Structures are given as structure tokens and as C-alpha cells.
């Protein structure tokens, strides 16, 4: 062990190149040689008075809806775009500090970004990586990373269609020959589903619930199609009396609440299929549509897309991890995947 290795060990530093899935809902970090080392919400808590960041990730999420007037929780990425450059930078720096990266190293970094980001946003993400002491910073779009992460041969003249349903956006991409042939992106995904549930309770039950509660409801009993009826008790604040209240609702109600965002996602898939060249369409009929991202876990979503498109639909084996795994594969094989990097 040389002197530098001894220093790293003494300070418990880690070293290696980094791949980052910068998602609206969650940020995942892959470290070469170690795999996924961070999987936390893309949330920041900061002081209202001086803007100082108090917490990021899981620590910040635990504070959502519970902060006093001196603190606020922020999601710096919204609807698939960077809504707050400074807080996105602070969040990335916070996550990198969590993995205790060797401060003397100059790692290579591959960052996955939503395909809808602007050139200015791309530059801001690259600058953030460079401030984290990265030697080189590369960007890759989410649908491409997801395709690589689930093992598709993207370099061949074969059509593959990926539907990546994240927190802020649903991205439908037809991929062939290391490129995106056609694409349909909508700013409706997991976050919109949560907001739809919040609005349903406000309108139908005069009950005010928070986004974390809505997300928990979606995960527990949410569905895109009629399933076995379930009942769940929901706690919130009565909008009329202002005092806490508990209501019992059925899973059918939650399905109704999710109807509009589900229909929008299905329509985006249909539009992408309509724009696909005929030769690639025949490949898609044979190979089917593949769903990735956390939103793909909504029960019955694959079935309703299958019924409305007449195309086979499969959910990826690890839909939540497909993008970061693909970004990690690219990191480990930069020369092979040079054509898909930005």
C-alpha cells in the first residue's frame, strides 16, 4: 500500500469514476467498482434566511411538510427540467460528499439527464460536475441510458421502444443505431399522479393531504385498471372545519383519481408509435414496448397500454434502477458508447 492509499484509508475516502442518474424524483449514484452507492430523493432543505443547505436526499424528505418558517424544502428539478440551478448544484455536491469521495482524485463523470433539458441546463449540469472536481463530464439522455441498462442492443438496425416514466416526465423513445429515431415527451408522470390524488381528496372528500401521503396511497392501492377492491384509511385535515380527519376510501376511487395522467401516458405512447417508420414498427411488434422508471410500477399500467396499442408490453426487471445501471455501463465502457454521449 503506497502513501496515497494510506491517506485515503485513514480518512475513509473512496475513489473511482462516477455515474449519476439526475432524476426529478430520485438521484442515484453509481461508483465504478462498487455499484450503486446513493439512491435518495432529489430534495433539498435550506434556510430561508441565508439560503444555506441544511439537508439533501432522505434527510430532506423526512422534513417535507414539517418545516417551520425558517426552513423550506425544495425539489430543484421539476417536470423533467432544472427549476433551480443553484439548488441542483448544492444537491449534487451534497450527494457526492455523502459518498466521501477522495478529494485528491479527478474522476470521470457520466450524468444522465432528461431528454428535454436545454443547452443552458446541460452546461449547468456539466459545470456542477466540474465543481465536484471531475476531470471529464459526459451527459447521456434518460431513454438511451434505460435501454442500455436493460440490455438492449442499441447499436443494431433494430427498433426498440422505451417508455421511461419518471417523477416529472414520461419519455417515449424509439431507438435504433445508437440514436433516437422518434420521441414523445410529456410532463406527466409520477408527480402528476400524486398531485391528481391530492386534488381528488380535496374535491371529493374536502380533505387536505400532503404529497408524501398521496405517493404512499398511489404505491399501496393505486392502479390503472380495475383491480380487486381494497379499502384504505386516509388521514388529513378537513378543509371545512380545519381539524384532523380520517376517511375510508376504496381503491376504485384512487383509480378514478389517476385516470387523467394514465390516459395522457397511453396517448404519448400511441403518438410515438404513429411517428415510427414502418420497418421499425415491425421490429416493435416482435419485441414489444418496455416500461422503465418508477411510474411503470403502477399496477395495470402495462396491461392498459397493451390493450390500447395492440403491442406487447413488458415492465423491465428493475425499472427503478434501469437508468443508473445503464449510465454505469456507459461509464465503464466510454469508448464503446461514445456515440450516445453529449
Amino acid at each position: 500500500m503506497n502513501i496515497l492509499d494510506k491517506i485515503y484509508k485513514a480518512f475513509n475516502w473512496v475513489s473511482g469514476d462516477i455515474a449519476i442518474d439526475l432524476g426529478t424524483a430520485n438521484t442515484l449514484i453509481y461508483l465504478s467498482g462498487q455499484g450503486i452507492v446513493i439512491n435518495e430523493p432529489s430534495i433539498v432543505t435550506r434556510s430561508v434566511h441565508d439560503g444555506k443547505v441544511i439537508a439533501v436526499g432522505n434527510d430532506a424528505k423526512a422534513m417535507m411538510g414539517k418545516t417551520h418558517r425558517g426552513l423550506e424544502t425544495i425539489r430543484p428539478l421539476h417536470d423533467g427540467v432544472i427549476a433551480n440551478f443553484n439548488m441542483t448544484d448544492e444537491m449534487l455536491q451534497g450527494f457526492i460528499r455523502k459518498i466521501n469521495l477522495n478529494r485528491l482524485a479527478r474522476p470521470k463523470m457520466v450524468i444522465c439527464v432528461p431528454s428535454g433539458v436545454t443547452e443552458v441546463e446541460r452546461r449547468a449540469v456539466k459545470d456542477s460536475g466540474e465543481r465536484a472536481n471531475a476531470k471529464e463530464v459526459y451527459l447521456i439522455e434518460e431513454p438511451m441510458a434505460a435501454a442500455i441498462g436493460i440490455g438492449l442492443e442499441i447499436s443494431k438496425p433494430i427498433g426498440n421502444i422505451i417508455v421511461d416514466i419518471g417523477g416529472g416526465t414520461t419519455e417515449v423513445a424509439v431507438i435504433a443505431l445508437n440514436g433516437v429515431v422518434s420521441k414523445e415527451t410529456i410532463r406527466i408522470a409520477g408527480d402528476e399522479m400524486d398531485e391528481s390524488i391530492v386534488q381528488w381528496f380535496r374535491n371529493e372528500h374536502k380533505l387536505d393531504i400532503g404529497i408524501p401521503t398521496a405517493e404512499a396511497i398511489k404505491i399501496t392501492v393505486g392502479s390503472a385498471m380495475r383491480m380487486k377492491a381494497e379499502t384504505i384509511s386516509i388521514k388529513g385535515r378537513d378543509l371545512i372545519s380545519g381539524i384532523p380527519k380520517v376517511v375510508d376510501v376504496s381503491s376504485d376511487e384512487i383509480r378514478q383519481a389517476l385516470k387523467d395522467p394514465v390516459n395522457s401516458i397511453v396517448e404519448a405512447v400511441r403518438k410515438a408509435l404513429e411517428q415510427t417508420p414502418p420497418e421499425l414498427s415491425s421490429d416493435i411488434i416482435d419485441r414489444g414496448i418496455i416500461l422503465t422508471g418508477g411510474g411503470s410500477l403502477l399496477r395495470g399500467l402495462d396491461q392498459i397500454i397493451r390493450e390500447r396499442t395492440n403491442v406487447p408490453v413488458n415492465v423491465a426487471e428493475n425499472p427503478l434502477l434501469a437508468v443508473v445501471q445503464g449510465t454505469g455501463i456507459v461509464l465503464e465502457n466510454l469508448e464503446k458508447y461514445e456515440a450516445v454521449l453529449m
Side-chain angles (χ1 to χ4, degrees):
M1 184 182 292
N2 61 36
I3 186 65
L4 284 178
D5 290 334
K6 290 180 180 178
I7 292 173
Y8 301 160
K9 186 174 182 180
F11 286 95
N12 198 30
W13 287 344
V14 297
S15 59
D17 294 330
I18 298 173
I20 302 174
D21 171 15
L22 187 62
T24 303
N26 295 286
T27 295
L28 296 91
I29 298 181
Y30 173 104
L31 191 64
S32 61
Q34 294 193 37
I36 300 169
V37 293
I38 290 285
N39 182 357
E40 299 192 21
S42 301
I43 301 174
V44 176
T45 300
R46 71 175 180 182
S47 167
V48 173
H49 304 299
D50 57 14
K52 182 180 178 181
V53 172
I54 307 299
V56 300
N58 287 329
D59 298 332
K61 185 174 183 178
M63 301 178 188
M64 281 190 72
K66 302 177 182 179
T67 56
H68 52 75
R69 285 182 293 178
L71 297 177
E72 64 176 345
T73 54
I74 296 173
R75 297 184 66 175
L77 291 100
H78 187 68
D79 289 343
V81 297
I82 298 172
N84 188 315
F85 290 105
N86 291 334
M87 286 299 103
T88 299
D89 183 41
E90 291 281 359
M91 182 180 72
L92 276 178
Q93 307 305 324
F95 284 136
I96 289 171
R97 283 194 295 272
K98 281 191 176 188
I99 64 176
N100 206 21
L101 187 68
N102 166 18
R103 301 172 192 176
L104 304 179
R106 297 290 308 280
K108 293 178 182 176
M109 193 176 290
V110 179
I111 304 177
C112 184
V113 294
S115 59
V117 297
T118 64
E119 190 61 40
V120 172
E121 290 169 330
R122 290 179 185 178
R123 184 66 259 171
V125 172
K126 282 193 172 185
D127 288 346
S128 184
E130 289 165 0
R131 279 193 289 275
N133 210 32
K135 178 172 62 176
E136 298 172 75
V137 180
Y138 305 93
L139 303 183
I140 182 172
E141 293 183 332
E142 283 181 4
M144 191 67 73
I148 294 168
I150 60 179
L152 297 181
E153 290 287 346
I154 63 169
S155 62
K156 294 184 177 180
I158 299 172
N160 294 286
I161 183 166
I162 296 289
V163 181
D164 183 42
I165 308 169
T169 59
T170 294
E171 301 187 65
V172 188
V174 177
I175 296 170
L177 295 171
N178 286 326
V180 176
V181 179
S182 63
K183 179 177 66 176
E184 187 72 25
T185 301
I186 58 171
R187 293 183 178 181
I188 296 174
D191 291 348
E192 188 72 18
M193 294 180 191
D194 298 340
E195 186 59 40
S196 294
I197 292 173
V198 170
Q199 290 303 320
W200 177 271
F201 276 92
R202 292 179 66 89
N203 296 335
E204 301 297 324
H205 296 282
K206 300 298 182 282
L207 187 74
D208 193 17
I209 62 172
I211 291 295
T213 299
E215 183 182 17
I217 295 169
K218 177 185 67 180
I219 293 169
T220 305
V221 297
S223 67
M225 299 187 71
R226 188 181 297 277
M227 300 283 179
K228 181 181 177 181
E230 300 176 68
T231 300
I232 185 171
S233 296
I234 306 300
K235 302 173 185 176
R237 181 174 61 85
D238 190 303
L239 288 171
I240 298 174
S241 67
I243 62 175
K245 175 183 174 183
V246 179
V247 299
D248 292 331
V249 298
S250 69
S251 53
D252 277 343
E253 279 199 69
I254 307 306
R255 177 176 54 81
Q256 287 294 325
L258 294 171
K259 184 177 179 180
D260 287 345
V262 166
N263 286 341
S264 296
I265 291 169
V266 174
E267 187 58 28
V269 176
R270 287 176 57 87
K271 284 183 179 179
L273 290 171
E274 290 168 2
Q275 296 167 11
T276 304
E279 292 301 319
L280 294 181
S281 293
S282 63
D283 293 335
I284 290 169
I285 291 173
D286 293 335
R287 302 167 72 86
I289 298 167
I290 301 178
L291 307 184
T292 65
S296 67
L297 295 173
L298 182 70
R299 294 182 300 172
L301 183 58
D302 56 336
Q303 186 178 344
I304 198 169
I305 294 174
R306 186 182 305 118
E307 288 184 359
R308 296 189 187 176
T309 62
N310 292 318
V311 177
V313 180
N314 298 290
V315 179
E317 187 175 347
N318 292 305
L320 288 165
L321 304 181
V323 171
V324 72
Q325 287 173 338
T327 311
I329 290 170
V330 171
L331 176 71
E332 306 278 12
N333 303 274
L334 284 173
E335 291 186 5
K336 178 180 177 181
Y337 292 104
E338 183 178 2
V340 304
L341 295 171
M342 296 183 287

